[in-house]
Amino acid sequence: MGFLDALFGRTKPVRPDLDQLFAVPSAALTLQAAAGFRPTGLGSVCFAAVEGGAFGEVERQVRALLDADTGRGGAPVEASQDSYGYSWLLARHTPEELPELVNDLHAVNSELEANGFGPQLLCSIVAFRNESGQPLGLVYLYKRGTFYPFAPLPGEKRNNPVEIQVKAMLADDLRIEPDLSRWFPVWGAPGL
């Protein structure tokens, strides 16, 4: 960053660091011990689909990669589209297979990025739930390289106290998004 950039308040955009996803299993231990949130085995990747053969081929490759273990009893990946037109891929594992789930999410992100579709990636979510049934998503913002907690309540409301509590709990485990205005709600995200 140059002198003029600093003077005018311009900053370089944060580069995505997909390896941050591999910190989720460690953060899960903290969440379980401190707040009783356990992994559900569900995780999803959200991206803006692009028209064209090249993107369609990459999407087929990603689905084939994630579906490779269905012959051995693994659950097939589920594709869906939300009301905003964004595409979602939902991966399912047992709750004990959190590292495998994270590997799947990393593979989807990496494959799209490697084929030039990184700008279409929006976020990845790993789902948790506590004993009282409160859902919690750890949302990885691809373009920021950071995480934030999302705790939805019925009626498109958020459990802000839980989100702030989780933020404090995971400060040493994950790169938490410091700008709370970027903690976007992901209503109806697959797996939450």
Side-chain angles (χ1 to χ4, degrees):
M1 187 163 87
F3 173 73
L4 290 177
D5 291 331
L7 183 64
F8 291 111
R10 294 182 292 225
T11 59
K12 289 183 179 180
V14 177
R15 292 194 45 91
D17 180 6
L18 292 175
D19 289 345
Q20 291 296 314
L21 288 168
F22 294 125
V24 170
S26 173
L29 296 174
T30 302
L31 273 177
Q32 186 172 342
F37 281 99
R38 297 178 182 273
T40 64
L42 302 174
S44 53
V45 176
C46 181
F47 55 94
V50 178
E51 293 295 324
F55 186 79
E57 180 58 31
V58 170
E59 189 174 12
R60 280 189 291 282
Q61 289 173 3
V62 166
R63 291 187 68 175
L65 175 71
L66 295 181
D67 287 343
D69 68 344
T70 56
R72 296 185 307 272
V77 66
E78 295 174 28
S80 63
Q81 195 170 29
D82 65 20
S83 60
Y84 298 103
Y86 292 108
S87 295
W88 291 86
L89 289 178
L90 174 67
R92 294 178 181 274
H93 285 272
T94 65
E96 298 77 30
E97 295 176 326
L98 183 58
E100 290 86 348
L101 175 65
V102 169
N103 284 339
D104 283 355
L105 299 178
H106 187 276
V108 171
N109 283 281
S110 297
E111 191 69 24
L112 288 170
E113 183 181 65
N115 284 282
F117 297 106
Q120 277 66 43
L121 285 164
L122 299 175
C123 67
S124 295
I125 302 173
V126 179
F128 295 82
R129 193 169 296 272
N130 67 10
E131 290 177 6
S132 66
Q134 169 67 59
L136 173 73
L138 289 182
V139 182
Y140 175 74
L141 292 172
Y142 175 80
K143 290 174 177 61
R144 303 279 298 169
T146 56
F147 289 87
Y148 68 89
F150 174 62
L153 292 170
E156 290 197 350
K157 296 179 183 169
R158 294 172 80 164
N159 192 334
N160 295 115
V162 166
E163 291 177 359
I164 298 302
Q165 178 188 16
V166 169
K167 174 190 179 222
M169 270 183 248
L170 298 181
D172 293 334
D173 294 303
L174 299 174
R175 188 182 298 162
I176 300 293
E177 174 57 50
D179 183 356
L180 297 181
S181 70
R182 294 188 183 271
W183 290 24
F184 304 108
V186 281
W187 306 120
L192 270 181

